[in-house]
Amino acid sequence: MVQRVMTREESIEYLLGRSRRKDEVFPIRREFVQKSHIKSLPGDPSTGPGPLSKLLRTPHALELLLLVYAVTTGRDFGVTERSQLWARAAGIYMRPDKGASVAVSRQWEHLEKLGLIERRQHGRLKRIVKRHEIGRVGGMTVDYTVPTGTKSDVYFRVPFAYWREDWHVKLNMPGKAVLLAAMSRRKETFTLPQDGRGARALGLGRHTMARGIEELLHHKLLVKMGPDEVMDARAMRGWAWVHTYQLAEPFNINLSKAEVERLEAEERGPLAPQDGAGIQAGQPG
């Protein structure tokens, strides 16, 4: 008799069901994409690459990490499951044998070296504990806490639709990286750095940025809105033309409080004049 093996889709759905997130979204701090730091010299960038830039060549590790972010919700922010389940969910290894342990272990090791997870023995299995998205700081990892959303603790939300609409399969790594970067902007309309200096601040590289943007435009997850003229002190005339973009459903769910207030003010339009305001003597009312 042939024994059934859970498919990748069934494995993912099982893990998502474990999270018990009623809103079916999960948070990721912006520092995963782009870290802020203190300038050491005039002209130094105020931001630098986050751990995402170290995962561009390890797509399976990124998939595992996103699933861990989605599943872990409290206590020690950990989850314990068989290697075979993780291997199927991340698309690493589909056979139900011990080969999955070896394949998944390599990915966990990479994430652990970056300081994004910690592995703890849990009986015969490994418990995967989520660490702070900033990764290693001075060689040390940081305990995970629920993000507050303050200016010093900004986060964005990723919907379960990333898996349920098969974007984890449809998108390649450049598209996934730029998608996360775009969601971290938390604005309705935003720019994506395509020059060498701007791309380096994300650690993605010019070609990766260009390929990722093209990929998202092709799948209609990104809509080109510009070009718009913006202030740029590094440009000869102090202004530069740049392309601006908007995210489409299901990823257009991250707006900062200031951005929501700005959009609401635009929707209301100019304040209507009060009775008698703007009517001068001798003019018709």
Side-chain angles (χ1 to χ4, degrees):
M1 181 181 296
V2 178
Q3 293 183 325
R4 292 183 59 186
V5 178
M6 287 176 72
T7 65
R8 184 178 185 183
E9 292 72 23
E10 290 169 339
S11 301
I12 290 172
E13 195 58 41
Y14 168 80
L15 287 169
L16 296 182
R18 281 205 54 175
S19 73
R20 298 180 182 178
R21 295 183 186 272
K22 295 181 180 179
D23 52 3
E24 298 195 336
V25 298
F26 61 95
I28 301 180
R29 284 181 170 87
R30 180 184 285 169
E31 288 175 310
F32 177 65
V33 177
Q34 192 171 35
K35 296 180 182 179
S36 299
H37 60 80
I38 300 173
K39 296 183 180 183
S40 57
L41 293 172
D44 281 356
S46 58
T47 58
L52 172 63
S53 63
K54 302 291 198 313
L55 296 172
L56 294 177
R57 296 185 179 182
T58 53
H60 291 138
L62 176 63
E63 286 303 313
L64 284 172
L65 184 64
L66 293 178
L67 286 166
V68 170
Y69 283 160
V71 173
T72 51
T73 55
R75 296 185 181 179
D76 65 346
F77 297 100
V79 55
T80 304
E81 291 293 351
R82 296 187 67 91
S83 295
Q84 287 81 4
L85 178 69
W86 289 116
R88 287 192 298 269
I92 304 172
Y93 195 90
M94 301 306 295
R95 287 180 291 177
D97 57 38
K98 294 182 179 180
S101 300
V102 177
V104 171
S105 180
R106 293 194 187 104
Q107 309 304 320
W108 290 139
E109 183 179 4
H110 183 53
L111 293 171
E112 197 165 31
K113 285 181 178 178
L114 293 176
L116 296 170
I117 66 156
E118 178 184 338
R119 287 179 290 179
R120 299 175 185 172
Q121 199 65 40
H122 193 266
R124 299 177 63 182
L125 303 177
K126 292 289 186 180
R127 186 164 182 81
I128 308 302
V129 179
K130 178 166 58 179
R131 305 295 285 171
H132 196 290
E133 295 94 327
I134 198 172
R136 291 193 177 274
V137 179
M140 304 292 290
T141 64
V142 182
D143 289 341
Y144 184 84
T145 56
V146 176
T148 61
T150 61
K151 288 185 178 181
S152 61
D153 198 27
V154 177
Y155 70 92
F156 59 97
R157 298 175 301 153
V158 180
F160 284 9
Y162 171 76
W163 292 284
R164 288 179 173 158
E165 296 183 13
D166 291 333
W167 296 113
H168 64 299
V169 176
K170 297 175 185 176
L171 296 177
N172 296 312
M173 278 302 288
K176 293 177 183 180
V178 174
L179 177 62
L180 292 169
M183 285 192 287
S184 75
R185 291 293 192 251
R186 300 178 73 237
K187 291 184 178 181
E188 182 184 47
T189 302
F190 49 85
T191 62
L192 290 169
Q194 297 178 56
D195 63 303
R197 183 174 183 270
R200 283 195 302 273
L202 290 172
L204 302 184
R206 292 177 59 186
H207 295 300
T208 300
M209 285 295 301
R211 287 169 56 196
I213 291 171
E214 190 62 35
E215 197 174 345
L216 296 181
L217 289 172
H218 171 74
H219 286 292
K220 298 182 180 179
L221 294 179
L222 199 65
V223 180
K224 188 179 289 187
M225 304 300 294
D228 290 334
E229 196 171 26
V230 299
M231 187 179 293
D232 184 354
R234 290 179 290 126
M236 290 183 64
R237 62 188 184 90
W239 290 84
W241 288 98
V242 298
H243 287 297
T244 56
Y245 304 90
Q246 288 184 0
L247 278 169
E249 293 182 350
F251 300 107
N252 57 342
I253 59 173
N254 291 285
L255 294 179
S256 67
K257 182 179 179 181
E259 183 74 351
V260 171
E261 291 174 350
R262 183 187 68 80
L263 293 172
E264 289 176 347
E266 285 185 358
E267 189 174 342
R268 288 194 300 269
L271 293 176
Q274 297 179 358
D275 292 344
I279 302 177
Q280 298 180 8
Q283 292 184 343

